[in-house]
Amino acid sequence: MAKYDRQFYPGTTVPAKNRKRFMDPKIKLEKLRDVAMDDVVKILGHRQPGEDYRSIHPPLEESNEPDCPIRQMVTPIEGAKKGDRIRYVQFTDSVYFAPIIPYVRAWMYMTRFRGIDTGTLSGRQIIEMRERDLEKVAKELIDNETFDPAKTGIRGATVHGHACRLDENGLMFDAWQRYRFNAKKGEVEYVKDQVALPLDKPISVGKPMSEAELKKRTTMFRVDGVDMRDDKEVMMTNLRIHRLRTLAGYQPWEIKGE
Amino acid sequence: MAKDKEKLFMKAMKKKFKEDPTDEHTTYYSFGGWKQSKRKREWVEQANKIAKARGLVMMNQDIGVPLGQRVLMPYQLSHTDIYAEADDLHFVNNAAMQQAWDDIRRTVISGLDTAHTVIEKRLQKEVTPETINRYLEAVNHTMPGGAVVQEHMAECSPALTADCYVKVFSGNDELMDEIDKQFRIDINKEFPADQAKQLKEAIGNSLWQKIACPTIVGRICDGGTMSRWSAMQISMAFITSYRLAAGEAAIADFAYAAKHASVLEMGTMMPARRARGPNEPGGIPFGFLADMVQSMRKFPDDPARASLETVALGAVIYDQIYLGSYMSGGVGFTQYATAAYTDNILEDYTYWAVDLIKDKYGGLCKMKPSMDNIEKLGTEVNSYALEMYERYPAAMEAHFGGSQRATVAAAATGIACAMATANANCGVNGWYLSMLQHKERMGRLGFYGYDLQDQCGSANSFSYRSDEGLPHELRGPNYPNYAMNVGHLSGYGGIAAAAHAARGDAFACNPLIKVAFADKNLPFDFANITKEFGRGAMREFMPAGERTVIIPSA
């Protein structure tokens, strides 16, 4: 029997291929910027740079946990070993070709990260982790190609904006104006943290991508980009899910010839 | 292919935003915050006065999120010319919405045949049109709170219970001709001839009372009170009009008939975990809701309107009032639910779908209900709906929450599939097709609830066995998978209506409910749902049950 290669996502179009790329953990995502870790910590707003991590239980080494098969199978992530509290980073992705979109985030997180709890809505996508691990993940997600300074927002609360039109600088709407466009530098800079508390100084997250660049990296099917109906395999797979669920509930093997 | 017409939502989009509806860019943060809203300015003034008078702070628009960083857009009530501020579509601020719910909750339908049989067979007394008229006169005295038996009795002020009355209807024209006109709901007069014929055949010779209990009683007590209130007053009216003994055993038969054996409540009782009695919104099946709506009676050639009006009523009763407040306790569901009945967006998608069905699928009710056909039609309608959001950023921003778009696209798809096949379960299957495609296409859908029912809904859309499913018309908010997710129930109601409106059916589920809500004495006009909500928003709607006569004048 041929070796099965996990495909991660069907389809042949740009959004389908990008979905596959984002989900396949063997593919290293392109790093487009390097926001200092201290600045990431400030934007997250959970602790000050240099401040100790707060813990919610003793380090596992000291806690005399009972032995069990699960503990033997699962290696704890660093923050779990140390007893860190669980904190979050939450992104809002504009419908105007933000590179990644909420469900693709969830699917990507599941294949690339361990020790996460993630939740997906239309206007925000949260990932929760032990704090020190979260900071590393947040930096990765801000630095890499899934993030566009103008079309991706880092927002803990008051998240609406993903479906609003863009402002005169092409930035996604944010009622708290956590970020602004620095016309002189051509960069987007955060002036407030995730929950809109003012930062002591602006933090640049770089230049917005051009429209052409966004469309190259997009995971979104849109009529003014790639229409999903033009990706036969994606359509077929999706319709098949609906059909099998309709005809067989969750026992698709019961259906012959479909 | 459906005709390329002017989009029905264009007028609203142009009123909402100054830019062209296709423009992706605008300006923000420069509209004066909450001060741009007349209503919010009024409230700040009111809250300041209240705070001063009571010595305790009150609402303060400057707390929390900075409101009004973008245009606080007006909302057009669909298929009307009325525009309203979002605040005025919150049920707390809208007397018409309150009355719509009051008029449903206080309605009880009770048969007279059982009681007449008891009188004739058990008591050997005669029942004639004259005695029925005498009884109806008596029950219109007792129902609002009048006494008939005890001589030293506290009664209710008629000014407080002015909206309370009892009328009767039957499929038997000869019998109805004998009933005093003031007590009749005249099916022949209220309905087009073909609908009247269907209703009369379904109802037959039986005689039914439509009881409108006092609004004020429903508000003080609850929906569970209604059949008790009506049964008690019915029993009293029988005692007096047929000169019965108040304590004789036969009286129990009247009470039993009116409370149990021969009564139809608007909502079924809810299980303990949702803890509501009958005649509460969570118990209203979609088919019942579709029958309360009277659009087909007044606009018999427009089945899409009937579906959309049912969506509108469902959005307020199920989403804003039931899930929004009864279940969640929140105040924010208005913003979400209004998407389904404002700005003619769902209107545009639905009428486009009707044209498509006529052009490509042989006409309403002509499409064979196969998976292939549902997939084909569903994909076309859903893709059109999602494309409109993509082609018109104004529409995207008008429905700025993914849940709003998911609901509206799925409602259009579901209504289309129901209308094309004349089958509501096909409709709800189309709904779930839309949800799965929407998620795949846009990579986002609604809030967490959409991960629950919309990802597994295909699997139960054709389930009929009692532990697994029901015909769609008999499902309701209490159906297990539908119990707690806002933004769905309105569309489901519309789907139930669509299958039957497309067929030209006079009713979707229950002919008695259809006739009961055709009654012109109801303060809320169930033939013009969005218009009534608009009148409520404009503060032009006069509700019932006001306490003016028992409180100090302002």
Side-chain angles (χ1 to χ4, degrees), chain A residues 8-36:
Chain A
F8 292 98
Y9 198 78
T12 54
T13 52
V14 168
K17 284 180 182 165
N18 283 334
R19 288 182 185 196
K20 274 185 216 190
R21 268 192 334 107
F22 287 0
M23 278 186 249
D24 184 349
K26 289 187 196 132
I27 293 173
K28 191 168 168 52
L29 297 180
E30 198 178 338
K31 184 170 175 172
L32 300 180
R33 59 195 73 80
D34 188 6
V35 178

Side-chain angles (χ1 to χ4, degrees), chain A residues 149 180-189 204 206-209:
Chain A
R180 67 188 180 198
F181 186 66
N182 183 327
K184 217 170 174 180
K185 293 183 183 167
E187 293 177 351
V188 175
E189 51 194 29
S204 174
K207 293 182 194 307
M209 290 183 203

